[in-house]
Amino acid sequence: MELRIFTEPQQGATYDTLLSVAKATEDLGFGAFFRSDHYLHMGSVDGLPGPTDAWITLAGLARETKRIRLGTLMTAATFRLPGVLAIQVAQVDQMSGGRVELGIGAGWFEEEHTAYGIPFPKEKFARLEEQLAIITGLWATEVGRTFDYEGTHYQLSKSPALPKPAQAKVPVLIGGSGAQRTPRLAARYADEFNMPFGSIEESERQFGRVRAAAEQAGRKADELVYSNALVACVGKNDAEVARRAAAIGREVEELKTNGLAGTPDEVVDKMGRYAEIGSRRLYLQILDLDDLDHLELISTAVQSQLG
């Protein structure tokens, strides 16, 4: 089981804060630093000092880290044109020496689109499917050849399909709980399927759907990595768990039900149950980005117990 750190900077974080978390992620032996792609805070927080852009953040971190993977859960397809996104991701991959992964979704938070003048189309899923075809098609086109695409939402003609990523293939992550279209899309384009904030039972059902869709599409189901994103709230004892839960405005019992919360042994036990259903990576949603002791505890007392 690989542990990755997942942040939500729209809730309030500067680039310097994100850099501190990314460096701690690397120093403490975690596999990757991922961030959300949102421009508006959610819930009762004020979101100060304001949003940061996911790919600009990752470009900076690409030059200031050396080992960890870097990526998004999930880039909103509504935020960027597919050709532009293909260029951005390829460039950041070059800047990182080939450590980037692209998590991409249809986009869902209408209020952030309204707040920043971003179109919020009705047919979001169809646009996502075309974006995936274009982005992967551009990267796969041989140097010296051109790429054309004629879709309902996007058209490309004689694209030089440059630049290329440093990696031979940038891993693509697709996630969600949709019962039909999401598994089909994952089966066609994904290297990893991520189940966000789902219970063990929900995750097992969705992994099964994706595995079936992969087989139907002519792929081996085990070609995909299966992962979960879950909020983390770990403490050396009950008092420390309660303190960390209060700091993020959550109740301990709710976190234990819906996330990875409790003492290190409790959390390791629950991680083991996710591993039993085929989850191979856990993205730990860290909501208090100033609490680096939290990351150190997870590294020394949780990650150290995992095979």
Side-chain angles (χ1 to χ4, degrees):
M1 178 70 76
E2 178 192 354
L3 299 188
R4 295 180 162 192
I5 300 303
F6 168 41
T7 62
E8 301 272 7
Q10 76 278 356
Q11 300 300 88
T14 65
Y15 173 76
D16 286 340
T17 297
L18 296 173
L19 175 60
S20 294
V21 176
K23 286 187 171 180
T25 297
E26 184 156 271
D27 293 343
L28 293 169
F30 295 104
F33 173 94
F34 271 60
R35 60 155 292 166
S36 60
D37 191 11
H38 286 294
Y39 292 142
L40 196 66
H41 65 85
M42 303 166 198
S44 59
V45 300
D46 56 25
L48 293 175
T52 51
D53 181 84
W55 287 100
I56 291 177
T57 297
L58 295 178
L61 297 180
R63 307 302 290 178
E64 300 199 65
T65 58
K66 298 183 183 302
R67 178 190 60 80
I68 50 172
R69 306 289 293 177
L70 301 166
T72 49
L73 284 180
M74 300 283 189
T75 287
T78 49
F79 286 179
R80 297 168 178 86
L81 297 171
V84 174
L85 183 58
I87 291 170
Q88 291 171 320
V89 176
Q91 184 178 7
V92 179
D93 195 50
Q94 291 176 0
M95 293 167 71
S96 71
R99 293 183 285 124
V100 158
E101 304 186 10
L102 171 62
I104 186 168
W108 61 270
F109 190 17
E110 185 171 4
E111 288 87 345
E112 68 187 336
H113 294 74
T114 302
Y116 286 96
I118 304 167
F120 189 68
K122 183 177 180 180
E123 292 296 329
K124 293 182 291 298
F125 199 90
R127 287 174 181 269
L128 170 62
E129 189 162 9
E130 289 193 14
Q131 288 219 2
L132 283 161
I134 292 166
I135 293 166
T136 57
L138 287 168
W139 291 338
T141 300
E142 294 180 12
V143 175
R145 294 183 177 272
T146 59
F147 177 80
D148 296 274
Y149 184 84
E150 187 66 33
T152 301
H153 304 286
Y154 305 103
Q155 297 80 39
L156 285 73
S157 178
K158 298 180 181 178
S159 171
L162 297 171
K164 300 301 185 192
Q167 298 175 86
K169 187 180 190 310
V170 172
V172 173
L173 287 73
I174 293 173
S177 56
Q180 296 182 347
R181 293 190 299 178
T182 297
R184 176 179 59 79
L185 205 60
R188 183 172 181 183
Y189 292 107
D191 300 284
E192 178 176 339
F193 178 79
N194 180 265
M195 182 63 176
F197 312 112
S199 68
I200 294 168
E201 295 75 20
E202 291 166 339
S203 299
E204 185 173 27
R205 282 194 297 272
Q206 189 69 339
F207 289 170
R209 293 183 186 117
V210 174
R211 295 177 71 88
E215 296 282 359
Q216 189 173 5
R219 296 179 67 183
K220 294 181 179 179
D222 288 339
E223 287 181 20
L224 282 81
V225 173
Y226 299 86
S227 64
N228 288 85
L230 294 161
V231 62
C233 181
V234 187
K236 294 189 292 289
N237 49 51
D238 291 345
E240 192 167 88
V241 175
R243 176 177 64 78
R244 289 201 163 107
I248 60 174
R250 303 279 286 270
E251 297 293 331
V252 171
E253 290 308 312
E254 178 268 322
L255 287 169
K256 287 187 175 184
T257 299
N258 298 314
L260 296 167
T263 62
D265 287 346
E266 288 178 295
V267 170
V268 168
D269 178 71
K270 191 165 185 180
M271 287 179 174
R273 285 183 277 150
Y274 276 97
E276 287 173 0
I277 64 164
S279 186
R280 293 294 173 260
R281 286 183 186 139
L282 292 176
Y283 292 80
L284 307 182
Q285 185 193 45
I286 303 297
L287 296 176
D288 184 354
L289 299 182
D290 294 317
D291 185 3
L292 298 183
D293 289 342
H294 191 196
L295 296 186
E296 184 172 3
L297 176 65
I298 295 170
S299 173
T300 58
V302 175
Q303 185 167 238
S304 61
Q305 296 190 55
L306 304 178

